[in-house]
Amino acid sequence: MPTFSEDSLLAVRFGNARTGFDLVGIVDAALPVARITAEVLAQDSKDIPLLEEYVLRLVDQGERTPESIAGFLGLDVAMVNQTVAVLFGSDDLRWTAPVPGTAPVPRLRLTEKGRFTATKAAAIVPVRVSQSLVFDRMLWRASPYSRRSTIARDVATEAGMIMLPAARSGPVEDGEVTAEEITTLLQENGTTTREVLQVKSIVQTRTCHVLPVKLLVYADAERAEIELGVVIDGELSDRHEIELIGFGGAKALGISVEPEPERPLLEPDFEMARIPLQEVTQKREEQAAVQLNSPAPLPSEPEAQEPPAEEIRAIGVFEHPELLDEALTSARKRILIISPWITGAIVTTAFVGKLERRLQRGVKVDIAYGYDDSENRTDPNAVRRLNNLAARYPEKLHVVRLKSNHAKILLYDDAWVTTSFNWLSFKGDPDRTYRVEEGTLIRNREKSGIYYTRYLELIDDNRR
């Protein structure tokens, strides 16, 4: 059974989350956050409520009647009587007989358990500590995000993530994070029983940080209306979606959706044998559901799964990146990629590392790119990284700039994918236009060999 990418699993879970809308894109986005440190006065949470603690400690100090305790605390006697009743039920208080020669008024006394409870509560005193927090700059509030999950804004920009808006600019000020909010966050995280009594000051790191999130792009059937969803820690966040609407939604982020392009057609016999997208999608959803419902496996070396020898089927937009990764991690003989543009969001350190491992195993790799003379959507730094790698493996890796190219091809070993998907620029493209792109995967040794030769000839004829 295949292992599905994070985006494919999100597509299965949330693909039908908007009635009347189709999920047309899943985008890496960056939520603006601030790493802050709050200097706070805090104490470990006590096992008993504050009023019960005060009653026990006052009885221990000689206040032996509910009336005297109420007078000391400035509370209604009825409230103190209720607390006394609770402490009788917990075996912390008892009545003692009147002292001879005094008025016959029953007096309170501590049991052995009550004396221990009072002593334990009195031993917990406030201390000044530093508490690290993550502040959500879109919601403008401290949030339960892991500090380790945040990254520098520059890193997110280089990766081509869409920057989500902040509620306002400027630092987090003293008074904008309350003691109650911090206590709630600590309790939700389950990391401590600490109770924050007072926030003394707020210190913010100078480096701008973001939290990587997923942005779901939905469009209606006419592709005229767009809705966005924000996935944080694997769950949709209604609050962030509402905030995005207030900021202008998809239009403010420069996101648009186009109608589906025409699918590249195959030879008639292949078209007849091709499994349609609806059937493929249903099977993938069933397989993904198994992965979603299975406990996370222990870390281990992934098992190599032998693909079927013969296969002709549709592929949806969210499967394309999985096939590219399959080529980069499992190809044994050859990889050929033709893409109009190349972006640094795809040609990352991880991408180059996987590609180099293929080259070290003797895999021949051909990469061709270029649209026309006026195009400027290719990242020269990404091309430079590929050319540097080609210089180290001149017999195995060829990177070619084409005069003009509209083809989008991935071919590896005996697998061939024809599609309208931009293999090397589907992330980080400043033109944030999304569409449902359907392609075809063909696993056939004879045909893949024929088309491999044909595409190499196309590259030679069209190189600059």
Side-chain angles (χ1 to χ4, degrees):
M1 182 176 294
T3 299
F4 294 88
S5 66
E6 179 186 3
D7 285 0
S8 287
L9 294 176
L10 289 175
V12 169
R13 292 183 61 199
F14 303 121
N16 299 317
R18 299 287 191 277
T19 303
F21 285 74
D22 300 319
L23 179 61
V24 299
I26 300 177
V27 190
D28 290 320
L31 176 69
V33 298
R35 288 182 174 182
I36 63 175
T37 300
E39 293 293 327
V40 302
L41 193 64
Q43 67 179 24
D44 290 338
S45 298
K46 299 184 179 183
D47 297 333
I48 62 173
L50 191 59
L51 184 53
E52 292 182 20
E53 177 193 347
Y54 282 176
V55 168
L56 290 176
R57 293 177 65 180
L58 286 171
V59 171
D60 193 37
Q61 295 298 319
E63 300 293 338
R64 299 301 181 92
T65 66
E67 290 76 15
S68 65
I69 294 172
F72 187 92
L73 297 175
L75 299 175
D76 187 77
V77 175
M79 182 181 297
V80 175
N81 279 328
Q82 290 177 353
T83 303
V84 167
V86 171
L87 293 170
F88 265 77
S90 61
D91 196 30
D92 287 297
L93 282 182
R94 286 289 180 265
W95 292 114
T96 187
V99 178
T102 63
V105 177
R107 295 164 60 83
L108 295 167
R109 67 174 178 86
L110 298 178
T111 64
E112 286 300 319
K113 178 176 178 295
R115 193 173 303 282
F116 174 79
T117 303
T119 302
K120 180 182 177 182
I124 300 176
V125 296
V127 293
R128 186 159 180 158
V129 295
S130 297
Q131 184 63 55
S132 298
L133 299 167
V134 177
F135 191 90
D136 187 323
R137 296 178 60 85
M138 177 183 279
L139 301 182
W140 208 257
R141 59 175 297 174
S143 299
Y145 311 140
S146 169
R147 196 179 179 97
R148 293 189 296 272
S149 299
T150 63
I151 60 175
R153 182 186 176 95
D154 291 347
V155 175
T157 300
E158 185 178 352
M161 295 182 180
I162 291 182
M163 292 294 162
L164 301 184
R168 65 176 187 263
S169 60
V172 182
E173 303 288 350
D174 290 351
E176 292 185 320
V177 181
T178 67
E180 292 77 13
E181 287 175 332
I182 299 177
T183 298
T184 300
L185 289 175
L186 295 175
Q187 292 173 349
E188 288 177 354
N189 288 336
T191 57
T192 180
T193 59
R194 181 174 295 163
E195 179 181 1
V196 177
L197 306 177
Q198 184 182 13
V199 180
K200 295 290 187 179
S201 64
I202 297 289
V203 178
Q204 180 175 329
T205 59
R206 292 184 178 182
T207 304
C208 296
H209 287 86
V210 298
L211 179 74
V213 300
K214 292 288 185 178
L215 194 64
L216 308 186
V217 182
Y218 296 89
D220 63 0
E222 291 75 29
R223 304 306 188 235
E225 188 176 349
I226 303 174
E227 292 187 1
L228 301 177
V230 182
V231 177
I232 301 176
D233 293 334
E235 298 297 334
L236 278 170
S237 171
D238 293 337
R239 296 193 63 178
H240 288 86
E241 180 185 346
I242 292 171
E243 289 297 320
L244 271 183
I245 293 173
F247 283 112
K251 184 177 181 180
L253 295 177
I255 292 175
S256 60
V257 177
E258 289 183 347
E260 292 86 334
E262 291 292 330
R263 174 178 64 82
L265 295 178
L266 308 171
E267 298 173 11
D269 55 337
F270 276 16
E271 283 288 339
M272 291 287 293
R274 181 179 185 269
I275 301 174
L277 183 60
Q278 184 176 0
E279 184 176 336
V280 173
T281 300
Q282 181 176 350
K283 182 177 181 180
R284 280 174 59 83
E285 287 178 350
E286 293 171 355
Q287 294 173 330
V290 174
Q291 182 174 327
L292 284 168
N293 295 325
S294 300
L298 295 174
S300 61
E301 287 294 324
E303 295 183 6
Q305 297 184 351
E306 197 68 31
E310 299 286 332
E311 185 178 25
I312 306 173
R313 65 173 178 84
I315 57 172
V317 63
F318 303 114
E319 190 180 359
H320 285 81
E322 293 178 6
L323 291 171
L324 178 60
D325 190 67
E326 180 180 308
L328 294 173
T329 56
S330 66
R332 300 173 182 175
K333 299 180 298 181
R334 61 194 177 195
I335 299 174
L336 185 148
I337 303 172
I338 303 178
S339 180
W341 306 286
I342 299 176
T343 64
I346 299 300
V347 182
T348 61
T349 300
F351 180 100
V352 173
K354 291 177 180 179
L355 191 58
E356 184 165 15
R357 283 191 286 276
R358 291 301 97 200
L359 296 169
Q360 290 170 344
R361 289 174 179 252
V363 176
K364 185 178 184 298
V365 180
D366 293 273
I367 297 176
Y369 71 98
Y371 188 72
D372 56 36
D373 290 337
S374 63
E375 68 94 2
N376 59 0
R377 292 164 60 179
T378 286
D379 181 354
N381 291 326
V383 175
R384 189 177 301 113
R385 298 184 77 169
L386 292 176
N387 284 330
N388 289 341
L389 187 62
R392 298 202 301 273
Y393 299 89
E395 301 299 321
K396 291 297 179 182
L397 173 59
H398 301 105
V399 181
V400 179
R401 171 77 162 87
L402 303 179
K403 299 175 185 175
S404 177
N405 169 49
H406 296 268
K408 291 118 179 182
I409 299 296
L410 172 66
L411 193 152
Y412 58 103
D413 291 345
D414 298 330
W416 163 45
V417 182
T418 176
T419 180
S420 59
F421 186 80
N422 291 313
W423 290 106
L424 298 180
S425 66
F426 63 90
K427 286 183 181 179
D429 193 335
D431 178 15
R432 297 169 183 169
T433 301
Y434 301 95
R435 58 191 185 182
V436 175
E437 293 173 292
E438 180 181 345
T440 302
L441 167 65
I442 302 168
R443 296 189 196 270
N444 181 285
R445 179 173 299 176
E446 179 183 355
K447 286 294 182 181
S448 64
I450 292 172
Y451 278 94
Y452 178 71
T453 302
R454 183 178 301 177
Y455 289 130
L456 287 179
E457 292 173 352
L458 181 151
I459 291 172
D460 284 336
D461 292 341
N462 202 27
R463 70 172 60 229
R464 292 188 65 172

